[in-house]
Amino acid sequence: MKTASAPGKFDVTGSRKDFPILSQEVNGKPLVYLDNAATSQKPRQVIDRVSHFYGKENANIHRGVHTLSGEATAAYDQARARVARHLHAFHPEEVIFTRGATEAINLVAQSYLRPRLQAGDEILLTEMEHHANIIPWQLLANEVGAKVVAAPVTDEGEIDLPAFASLLSARTRFASFVHVSNTLGTINPVQELIRLCQTRGVPTLLDGCQSVPHWDVDVQALGCDFFVFSGHKVLSPTGIGALWGRKETLNAMPPYQGGGDMIELVSFEKTTFRKVPERFEAGTPHIAGAIGLDAGFAYLEGLDRKAATAHESDLLENAREQLEALGGIRLLGHAPERAGAVSFLVEGAHPHDVGTILDTEGIAIRVGHHCTQPLMRRFKIVGTARASFAFYNTHQEVDALVAGVQKVQRYFN
């Protein structure tokens, strides 16, 4: 797993005190929350910040001249600036707030790629993409007579790099892939993938939903053309996320949606549009969500992230080792670079039964196809059980997971 050098010891006990939901019981047992790849829990600092906004600051932004509107506007703009710093963007204007990664990908598909895509062109993805990074491209390709092509995944759960390179051709107009697989936990060699695309002049979108929660991302160093993530997977509210792109590229793209606050002048004959970010944020945005996202990133900045990443690595590898030691367990994904999640099958038990029995022990995991049905078909399975970790998880919770799986094995054997 991706780890930093010489980290200090992470204070997991102290961090857990910031997450009120973690202290409750579920089904009479202490909650063991291991579904962080689906959505993270929220620290009190984020909850309080959103509550304070609605209780003391609530107003619309960019329109009012009164005090509350000014304060809300300042808080919203501060959120954009913090996200930009966190991603190492050159300008805050390069961050577009969206409802999440899904909307951000749709924005790029419709606003950037649609004018550039023709019948016979190809969009290159990988077999490990989740549905949000498949369907927007598929819809667009179907509309113009283009084709979605998927680079294969090896039996170990890695991108087949030679195959990826061979699929890049004169017909390839765009490539989009995950930074970290939500199902396999594989950390993709994205800089190499981006380099391969750049040699053919192919623009790239990097889906960072599963990387931003685990380490700091530098979009300049990565070299991608677009980067997307969802706020709810990184300590923040649902319904907020972001698209990053270079300012000159974004300003050259037509608006994706029309509405208020994204215009310069409107008449019934013609409308002219503002530059980014407003040209892509039509209507009243999710103001509280952006302010909560600001609080989420502020919380991350207060952590020893190297130590937190190392702690998550320990949890992941400990879980894999203990599950393998049980016998009768099939782990999915053996890439040398992993983060966040372990997917597994229990011999003789359907994943849904595994999740149901674990829930009786207060253990929350995800089961099913994880919105990666093509990947499930690749491995000829219908789904897996998946435990995914955050810095606030503990080794005692890993032990509880393993004990719960043993209970599943006793039940079915």
Side-chain angles (χ1 to χ4, degrees), residues 321-357:
E321 290 170 7
Q322 288 203 59
L323 288 171
E324 276 194 309
L326 292 178
I329 301 291
R330 177 187 172 189
L331 298 183
L332 200 70
H334 299 277
E337 296 289 323
R338 298 184 294 268
V342 55
S343 274
F344 60 96
L345 292 158
V346 180
E347 187 177 320
H350 192 283
H352 284 192
D353 293 325
V354 176
T356 300
I357 291 172

Side-chain angles (χ1 to χ4, degrees), residues 23 80-82 98 124 134 142 152 165 211 270 276 284 332 346 357:
S23 62
R80 193 188 312 279
R82 191 186 297 277
T98 62
L124 180 57
I134 298 174
N142 290 342
S211 59
K270 182 181 179 182
V276 290
T284 298
L332 200 70
V346 180
I357 291 172

Side-chain angles (χ1 to χ4, degrees), residues 164-215:
F164 182 93
S166 70
L167 288 170
L168 284 166
S169 73
R171 295 186 298 275
T172 311
R173 289 289 173 270
F174 199 82
S176 186
F177 37 83
V178 286
H179 202 168
V180 177
S181 165
N182 69 317
T183 298
L184 303 170
T186 301
I187 301 174
N188 280 323
V190 292
Q191 285 182 293
E192 176 63 9
L193 296 175
I194 292 167
R195 188 193 67 78
L196 287 168
C197 291
Q198 288 174 336
T199 61
R200 303 301 296 259
V202 175
T204 53
L205 183 147
L206 187 55
D207 178 347
C209 284
Q210 302 297 334
S211 59
V212 170
H214 298 296
W215 64 81

Side-chain angles (χ1 to χ4, degrees), residues 16-332:
R16 288 179 67 86
K17 293 176 182 175
D18 292 330
F19 292 81
I21 199 170
L22 298 180
S23 62
Q24 69 176 309
E25 291 188 346
V26 171
N27 294 322
K29 305 287 178 59
L31 170 63
V32 175
Y33 186 78
L34 301 177
D35 195 18
N36 296 285
T39 195
S40 70
Q41 296 301 344
K42 321 306 176 192
R44 190 180 305 280
Q45 290 84 343
V46 171
I47 298 168
D48 289 349
R49 183 66 188 93
V50 173
S51 177
H52 180 80
F53 171 74
Y54 280 126
K56 298 289 186 180
E57 301 173 331
N58 182 49
N60 213 327
I61 61 171
H62 295 159
R63 298 177 178 87
V65 296
H66 57 81
T67 299
L68 285 184
S69 180
E71 290 175 353
T73 298
Y76 186 79
D77 292 345
Q78 174 183 302
R80 193 188 312 279
R82 191 186 297 277
V83 173
R85 287 200 305 274
H86 202 82
L87 297 181
H88 296 266
F90 277 132
H91 309 283
E93 296 85 350
E94 293 179 334
V95 172
I96 310 298
F97 284 132
T98 62
R99 286 185 293 137
T102 297
E103 186 178 52
I105 293 170
N106 276 278
L107 192 164
V108 175
Q110 295 299 326
S111 182
Y112 178 81
L113 189 56
R114 173 184 279 276
R116 295 168 170 80
L117 199 66
Q118 298 180 349
D121 290 342
E122 294 181 351
I123 304 165
L124 180 57
L125 310 178
T126 80
E127 279 187 326
M128 67 171 71
E129 302 309 316
H130 63 144
H131 297 165
N133 201 24
I134 298 174
I135 298 167
W137 311 114
Q138 205 169 52
L139 288 170
L140 176 59
N142 290 342
E143 289 172 10
V144 304
K147 183 180 179 183
V148 168
V149 178
V153 170
T154 69
D155 291 342
E156 297 300 303
E158 298 178 87
I159 291 289
D160 185 332
L161 267 174
F164 182 93
S166 70
L167 288 170
L168 284 166
S169 73
R171 295 186 298 275
T172 311
R173 289 289 173 270
F174 199 82
S176 186
F177 37 83
V178 286
H179 202 168
V180 177
S181 165
N182 69 317
T183 298
L184 303 170
T186 301
I187 301 174
N188 280 323
V190 292
Q191 285 182 293
E192 176 63 9
L193 296 175
I194 292 167
R195 188 193 67 78
L196 287 168
C197 291
Q198 288 174 336
T199 61
R200 303 301 296 259
V202 175
T204 53
L205 183 147
L206 187 55
D207 178 347
C209 284
Q210 302 297 334
S211 59
V212 170
H214 298 296
W215 64 81
D216 293 337
V217 166
D218 185 338
V219 292
Q220 306 299 338
L222 289 169
C224 55
D225 294 281
F226 299 99
F227 186 89
V228 304
F229 73 91
S230 291
H232 71 93
K233 296 180 191 294
V234 58
L235 312 181
S236 304
T238 55
I240 188 73
L243 161 69
W244 168 84
R246 293 181 185 83
K247 191 162 69 171
E248 59 273 21
T249 303
L250 294 170
N251 275 326
M253 292 160 53
Y256 167 55
Q257 297 173 322
D261 209 32
M262 46 84 79
I263 55 87
E264 292 174 331
L265 293 170
V266 176
S267 71
F268 284 110
E269 290 74 32
K270 182 181 179 182
T271 297
T272 59
F273 303 102
R274 299 172 70 180
K275 293 187 180 299
V276 290
E278 287 85 3
R279 73 194 285 118
F280 292 116
E281 295 181 4
T284 298
H286 187 2
I287 304 167
I291 291 171
L293 184 63
D294 182 31
F297 276 117
Y299 186 90
L300 286 177
E301 290 171 2
L303 296 177
D304 181 342
R305 293 215 75 187
K306 290 183 178 179
T309 300
H311 173 66
E312 291 171 1
S313 175
D314 285 344
L315 294 174
L316 179 61
E317 296 313 309
N318 182 231
R320 290 177 63 91
E321 290 170 7
Q322 288 203 59
L323 288 171
E324 276 194 309
L326 292 178
I329 301 291
R330 177 187 172 189
L331 298 183
L332 200 70

